[in-house]
Amino acid sequence: MDNRQEKDTKHSEDMRHRDHKTMHKEHEKDDKTQDNYWQEMADEHKKHHTKETQMKDHLHSGHDKKMEGHAKQGHDHHEMMIQDFKKRFWISLALTIPILIISPMIHHFLQLGGTLRFTGDSYLLFALSSIVYFYGGWPFLTGLVSELKNLKPGMMTLVAMAISVAYFYSSAVTFGLNGEIFFWELATLIDIMLLGHWLEMRSV
């Protein structure tokens, strides 16, 4: 009887010990599962953060490149305008020389009389002045349109009106209207304004 009780007691203790070991293993398993879960979460967060950082870097890089492109484009446009004013100035200046030589008003100032006059000189004067007006005065004419469109008349409007009045009045005189020709004033005004804008843009 005592032996049987001892066996039962020992059996119960073995069972409890076995259950305790089993529970301990299950706890360890749960701990490992939980550790794996948090490790996966940390890895996922790290992956997401890395992807987000890469996207931000890509966006910043694209934005920087775009800004650099705009800056370079603006610089190139400014340089082209400088060269354009420079070219217009020199061509207009070259045409102004013969305009001055054959202008009746210059002949009067220098008291040359009819020394330098020749047949058709007034039409040649008109042709040369027309080139200076449309080619040399083009930036001011387009500036006039732009300023009036924005309802902000300024320097371009003033210059364009001055050269236009001189050109169309002198053209009318060339073809029969009584009056004086102001082609030389037109040409020299355009030269001075082109030179001023060219030097101003170079200094900016």
Side-chain angles (χ1 to χ4, degrees), residues 82-111:
I82 292 174
Q83 295 303 319
D84 182 62
F85 273 105
K86 178 182 177 181
K87 182 179 178 182
R88 290 179 190 275
F89 166 70
W90 286 115
I91 292 175
S92 297
L93 181 63
L95 293 172
T96 299
I97 296 172
I99 289 174
L100 291 173
I101 292 173
I102 60 179
S103 290
M105 188 84 62
I106 300 299
H107 296 170
H108 177 72
F109 289 156
L110 299 178
Q111 298 180 352

Side-chain angles (χ1 to χ4, degrees), residues 104-158:
M105 188 84 62
I106 300 299
H107 296 170
H108 177 72
F109 289 156
L110 299 178
Q111 298 180 352
L112 296 175
T115 308
L116 300 177
R117 299 299 302 272
F118 56 89
T119 304
D121 57 353
S122 59
Y123 298 110
L124 177 60
L125 181 61
F126 166 74
L128 294 173
S129 299
S130 296
I131 296 172
V132 173
Y133 173 73
F134 287 106
Y135 179 73
W138 185 252
F140 309 108
L141 298 174
T142 55
L144 164 70
V145 174
S146 178
E147 288 181 351
L148 293 182
K149 193 178 292 184
N150 295 325
L151 300 179
K152 292 182 178 179
M155 179 59 70
M156 292 295 190
T157 301
L158 181 63

Side-chain angles (χ1 to χ4, degrees), residues 56-86:
K56 285 181 179 178
D57 291 342
H58 178 71
L59 288 172
H60 282 304
S61 176
H63 182 264
D64 291 342
K65 287 180 179 178
K66 193 173 182 180
M67 291 298 290
E68 288 176 5
H70 284 313
K72 187 175 185 299
Q73 187 177 3
H75 180 269
D76 291 343
H77 179 68
H78 185 75
E79 187 64 31
M80 285 175 62
M81 288 185 68
I82 292 174
Q83 295 303 319
D84 182 62
F85 273 105
K86 178 182 177 181

